Amino acid sequence: MSSDTVTSRPTELPPNAGRAATGIAIVLVAQLMLVLDATVVNVALPRIDADLGFGPASLSWVLNAYTLAFGGLLLLGGRLGDVLGRLRMFEIGLGVFTVASLLGGLAQTPGQLVATRALQGVGAAMAAPSVLALLTTSAPDEAARNRAFALFGAVSSGGASIGLILGGLLTDVGSWRWTLFINVPLGIAVLLLARRFVDETARRPGRFDLVGAASATGGAVVLVWTLIGTPEHGWTSARTIAGFLVGLALIALLARTEVRHPHPMIQPHLVRNRNRVAALIVMALVIGANLSMFFLVVQYVQRVLGFGPLESGFAFLPFSLGIFAMSRVTPWLIGRLGPRTMMMVGSAALAGAYAWLSTIGTGDTYVGAVFGPMLIAGLATGFVFMPITATVLSGVEPEHAGSASGLLQTTQQLGAAVGVAVIVSVYAAGAVPGEFVPGVRAAFLVSATFCALALVVATLVLRPARAAQAAAEPEQSEALAADAA
């Protein structure tokens, strides 16, 4: 071996590669915390009800308060990160989230717990949009960025099932309060380390779009609130119809404002890109199917198979393992298959997995009826999430990365709300009193339909890789011209 070969090897890695990798790991830990909190209390709900006396109707707000605040404020959080600095907003949001977790664990009344859950959602909405932007700016090269996106997809998708496992473990061996307390040491550690390993991004000068911020936040909050209430009130109730009308009116006001404001909260060119819009639609459909699967499978394994809280959490282990296994190879695959092919294959596999789950019955076993489709769903989700993330952020100027990531994560939250609302309504319509299986079959077929629609969008709307790259060049020019103006 020559001395030239030996001395040339270290130069293959950027000088700051180790620091960048540590920074990416720290940011991903924070993302895992935010995602975990959407499901970590699920299996603890019966214990929370017994301890604080919620009642069956109000207990759902332990989950909904977090979803409503998180989904409603994400766009505002993304814009704040662009204007004030993403690392700063990441730290402020994570600090709010950590304090709210501590207060939630100490709650003594239902109102206190719901209020702290909403405050957790506010902190998550401030921090989450900066996560993708910080991953983008922290990665030293494109390969590292693709690996970071793959891990982000794995954490975002697998975090929900990990939350069920962790929630079951903490509830079984300790108390439901530890499902909230667990965030405190993790949050403190991330806050202490973040500024040492993650660089602040440049602030984007300009006026703050107050009308855009208010209409985007208000529209998202109203739509999420309306969708959350549809299983209880029905799709044709006055509450639901009025909520949709008000939400759509606010979104229309947002669209009108953004095309006229000199410094819009959502850059119009972000939603004029055909591939980006298609990827967002695929994300909404896939995440809606996945989140509804959590709702249905948890009930099936507990009500039909007789699992306890911890066993219920471990029932989702194949899903998590499938996602994390796939995250190791998706950065390599995307360069060979392209985002469009990966989204098509992943959506098709998800449709097949949920069609398989629709065949479950009262006489089935976990291994025979749940394990196989859960593993396929995990592998397929890991296969599709990374190309979605890469497509949404492709061609985005660095100063708009916070807005783009906020748009992506808002789509995730709204997709989850829509999916759960639709599928719970289908489940309720087909349910037989005292039985679980009759309603769940139709509900899983709707989940499969969501994924089949995602396949259609990926096939017919997404451009192949070369055409997408050519389309990104005019978009970048448009963004530069808008900044110059």
Side-chain angles (χ1 to χ4, degrees):
M1 182 181 296
S2 68
S3 59
D4 290 341
T5 302
V6 174
T7 56
S8 66
R9 283 185 176 179
T11 62
E12 295 176 1
L13 291 176
N16 64 339
R19 181 177 182 273
T22 304
I24 289 171
I26 291 169
V27 173
L28 287 172
V29 168
Q31 174 68 10
L32 180 61
M33 290 172 58
L34 303 180
V35 174
L36 281 176
D37 227 64
T39 57
V40 71
V41 299
N42 278 38
V43 294
L45 288 176
R47 304 281 180 88
I48 293 174
D49 188 21
D51 193 5
L52 299 184
F54 267 88
S58 58
L59 185 62
S60 64
W61 280 102
V62 177
L63 305 178
N64 294 345
Y66 182 81
T67 302
L68 185 60
F70 192 7
L73 298 172
L74 269 167
L75 285 175
L76 178 59
R79 175 59 177 160
L80 288 172
D82 286 340
V83 174
L84 301 178
R86 293 171 196 131
L87 181 57
R88 172 180 293 185
M89 288 310 302
F90 174 79
E91 291 174 326
I92 293 173
L94 190 60
V96 170
F97 180 86
T98 302
V99 171
S101 299
L102 175 62
L103 295 176
L106 297 172
Q108 299 299 314
T109 67
Q112 290 175 2
L113 181 57
V114 169
T116 56
R117 287 286 289 169
L119 187 60
Q120 281 185 303
V122 172
M126 296 167 67
S130 294
V131 169
L132 270 175
L134 290 173
L135 291 178
T136 301
T137 56
S138 297
D141 52 42
E142 185 176 356
R145 189 175 299 112
N146 284 338
R147 288 193 297 271
F149 285 162
L151 289 172
F152 174 84
V155 167
S156 299
S157 305
S161 51
I162 294 173
L164 292 172
I165 297 172
L166 183 61
L169 176 63
L170 293 173
T171 302
D172 266 359
V173 303
S175 164
W176 66 264
R177 298 181 184 276
W178 282 101
T179 62
L180 298 169
F181 285 148
I182 191 67
N183 292 322
V184 178
L186 291 174
I188 292 173
V190 171
L191 288 171
L192 290 175
L193 294 172
R195 197 158 285 271
R196 290 180 57 190
F197 294 97
V198 181
D199 293 328
E200 179 60 283
T201 58
R203 300 184 189 182
R204 186 173 179 231
R207 291 180 297 160
F208 193 72
D209 178 12
L210 294 177
V211 175
S215 56
T217 302
V221 167
V222 170
L223 288 175
V224 172
W225 175 79
T226 302
L227 290 165
I228 285 173
T230 51
E232 179 182 354
H233 299 278
W235 286 90
T236 58
S237 67
R239 175 192 184 276
T240 301
I241 294 172
F244 280 128
L245 290 176
V246 172
L248 292 174
L250 289 169
I251 297 301
L253 175 60
L254 169 67
R256 182 175 181 273
T257 301
E258 299 308 274
V259 296
R260 298 186 176 189
H261 199 281
H263 301 284
M265 187 178 68
I266 302 175
Q267 295 295 318
H269 70 270
L270 292 179
V271 290
R272 289 176 186 154
N273 181 285
R274 171 177 168 174
N275 267 27
R276 182 173 297 115
V277 172
L280 290 171
I281 294 172
V282 173
M283 170 64 80
L285 291 167
V286 167
I287 200 74
N290 280 356
L291 265 292
S292 60
M293 178 263 294
F294 285 105
F295 174 83
L296 295 169
V297 171
V298 163
Q299 292 193 68
Y300 177 74
V301 298
Q302 289 193 9
R303 294 176 58 179
V304 178
L305 301 184
F307 284 19
L310 183 57
E311 289 176 298
S312 300
F314 275 107
F316 286 85
L317 197 57
F319 185 81
S320 299
L321 292 177
I323 290 173
F324 281 107
M326 191 57 65
S327 71
R328 305 299 299 173
V329 297
T330 48
W332 178 81
L333 288 172
I334 195 169
R336 288 154 178 80
L337 300 178
R340 179 173 178 264
T341 300
M342 293 182 70
M343 288 189 225
M344 290 168 58
V345 172
S347 299
L350 278 168
Y354 291 130
W356 185 357
L357 277 173
S358 71
T359 65
I360 59 175
T362 55
D364 288 319
T365 64
Y366 171 78
V367 173
V370 179
F371 179 87
M374 287 277 285
L375 179 60
I376 293 173
L379 292 168
T381 300
F383 200 75
V384 78
F385 261 48
M386 187 264 181
I388 290 175
T389 304
T391 300
V392 170
L393 294 180
S394 175
V396 176
E397 294 298 307
E399 61 268 25
H400 302 313
S403 294
S405 60
L407 189 62
L408 173 63
Q409 295 181 59
T410 297
T411 302
Q412 289 178 318
Q413 295 301 313
L414 291 176
V418 171
V420 172
V422 171
I423 291 168
V424 167
S425 296
V426 171
Y427 164 71
V432 175
E435 299 182 35
F436 177 75
V437 170
V440 81
R441 287 175 174 167
F444 274 127
L445 286 176
V446 174
S447 295
T449 302
F450 278 12
C451 297
L453 290 174
L455 171 61
V456 171
V457 172
T459 303
L460 300 181
V461 182
L462 277 166
R463 293 187 177 99
R466 291 182 180 178
Q469 184 178 1
E473 295 177 1
E475 179 188 353
Q476 293 176 356
S477 299
E478 181 184 348
L480 292 173
D483 287 340

